[in-house]
Amino acid sequence: MAIRNIVKKGDEVLTKRCRPVEKFDAKLAALLDDMLQTMYKAEGVGLAAPQVGLLRRIAVIDITEEHNDPIELINPEIIKSSGRQREIEGCLSCPDQWGYVKRPMKVVCRAQDRKGDWYEYKAEGFLARAICHELDHLDGQLFVDKVDEFVRPEDME
Ligand code: NI
């Protein structure tokens, strides 16, 4: 496993639409392992492939402090969403930027796992928000463009 470099805002790769994954091979498995390690090391709760420089529809999420509940989303889509929440978000590609974003409270996400099998994942609250944030990355969107009120880093302590 290897820690990958996290691309920061300003790099074009973060503004592009990602292509679907077609090959579910050892290379993909290694990439997923690297993405998880990179996310854990950076103390993030989500990481999308463009954030490591790859325009592929892949994201990993783990909102546990113990790093024991990794979610791997390949070619994900939100197939149902309901409710509304407005909470503070940040992003490993936008250091020291924080702000309120409106998201659905609940989502159902359909995605493939590392073997290529489709599954459905239901999430709400923080996890629903993380899924929406990561899926936006796959379409070249950053949370900072959806923020309705920025929060100063000193107020995040
Ligand atoms: Ni992000």
Side-chain angles (χ1 to χ4, degrees), residues 46 51 90-93 133-134 137 142-143:
Q51 294 182 277
C91 178
L92 292 174
S93 293
H133 177 119
E134 297 314 323
H137 275 296
L142 293 176
F143 89 101

CSV table of all heavy atoms in Angstrom, one decimal, residues 46 51 90-93 133-134 137 142-143, ligand 1:
chain,number,residue,atom,x,y,z
A,46,GLY,N,-13.6,11.1,3.8
A,46,GLY,CA,-14.0,10.7,2.4
A,46,GLY,C,-12.9,11.1,1.4
A,46,GLY,O,-12.2,12.1,1.7
A,51,GLN,N,-9.2,13.3,-6.4
A,51,GLN,CA,-8.3,13.9,-5.4
A,51,GLN,C,-7.0,13.3,-5.3
A,51,GLN,O,-6.1,13.8,-4.7
A,51,GLN,CB,-9.0,13.8,-4.0
A,51,GLN,CG,-10.3,14.7,-3.9
A,51,GLN,CD,-10.9,14.6,-2.6
A,51,GLN,OE1,-11.6,13.7,-2.3
A,51,GLN,NE2,-10.6,15.6,-1.7
A,90,GLY,N,-16.0,20.3,5.1
A,90,GLY,CA,-14.6,20.6,4.7
A,90,GLY,C,-14.2,19.6,3.7
A,90,GLY,O,-14.9,18.7,3.3
A,91,CYS,N,-13.0,19.7,3.1
A,91,CYS,CA,-12.5,18.8,2.1
A,91,CYS,C,-11.0,18.7,2.1
A,91,CYS,O,-10.3,19.8,2.3
A,91,CYS,CB,-13.0,19.3,0.7
A,91,CYS,SG,-12.4,18.4,-0.7
A,92,LEU,N,-10.4,17.6,1.9
A,92,LEU,CA,-9.0,17.4,2.0
A,92,LEU,C,-8.3,18.2,0.8
A,92,LEU,O,-7.1,18.5,0.9
A,92,LEU,CB,-8.6,15.9,1.9
A,92,LEU,CG,-9.0,15.1,3.1
A,92,LEU,CD1,-8.7,13.6,2.8
A,92,LEU,CD2,-8.2,15.5,4.4
A,93,SER,N,-9.1,18.5,-0.2
A,93,SER,CA,-8.5,19.3,-1.3
A,93,SER,C,-8.6,20.8,-1.1
A,93,SER,O,-8.1,21.6,-1.9
A,93,SER,CB,-9.2,18.9,-2.6
A,93,SER,OG,-8.8,17.6,-3.0
A,133,HIS,N,-21.1,14.6,-0.9
A,133,HIS,CA,-19.9,15.4,-1.2
A,133,HIS,C,-18.9,14.6,-2.1
A,133,HIS,O,-18.4,15.2,-3.0
A,133,HIS,CB,-19.2,15.7,0.2
A,133,HIS,CG,-17.9,16.4,0.2
A,133,HIS,ND1,-17.7,17.6,0.8
A,133,HIS,CD2,-16.7,16.0,-0.4
A,133,HIS,CE1,-16.5,18.0,0.6
A,133,HIS,NE2,-15.8,17.0,-0.1
A,134,GLU,N,-18.8,13.3,-1.8
A,134,GLU,CA,-17.8,12.5,-2.7
A,134,GLU,C,-18.3,12.4,-4.1
A,134,GLU,O,-17.6,12.4,-5.0
A,134,GLU,CB,-17.5,11.2,-2.0
A,134,GLU,CG,-16.8,11.3,-0.7
A,134,GLU,CD,-15.7,12.2,-0.6
A,134,GLU,OE1,-14.9,12.3,-1.6
A,134,GLU,OE2,-15.5,12.9,0.4
A,137,HIS,N,-17.6,15.2,-6.3
A,137,HIS,CA,-16.2,15.2,-6.8
A,137,HIS,C,-16.1,14.5,-8.1
A,137,HIS,O,-15.3,14.8,-9.0
A,137,HIS,CB,-15.2,14.5,-5.8
A,137,HIS,CG,-14.7,15.4,-4.7
A,137,HIS,ND1,-13.9,16.4,-5.0
A,137,HIS,CD2,-14.8,15.3,-3.4
A,137,HIS,CE1,-13.5,17.0,-3.8
A,137,HIS,NE2,-14.1,16.3,-2.8
A,142,LEU,N,-16.8,21.0,-6.4
A,142,LEU,CA,-16.3,21.1,-5.0
A,142,LEU,C,-17.3,21.7,-4.1
A,142,LEU,O,-18.1,22.5,-4.5
A,142,LEU,CB,-15.0,22.0,-5.1
A,142,LEU,CG,-13.8,21.4,-5.8
A,142,LEU,CD1,-12.7,22.4,-5.8
A,142,LEU,CD2,-13.4,20.1,-5.2
A,143,PHE,N,-17.2,21.3,-2.8
A,143,PHE,CA,-18.2,21.8,-1.9
A,143,PHE,C,-18.2,23.3,-1.7
A,143,PHE,O,-19.2,24.0,-1.5
A,143,PHE,CB,-18.0,21.1,-0.5
A,143,PHE,CG,-17.1,21.8,0.4
A,143,PHE,CD1,-17.5,22.6,1.5
A,143,PHE,CD2,-15.7,21.7,0.3
A,143,PHE,CE1,-16.7,23.3,2.3
A,143,PHE,CE2,-14.8,22.4,1.1
A,143,PHE,CZ,-15.3,23.2,2.1
B,1,NI,NI,-13.9,16.7,-0.8
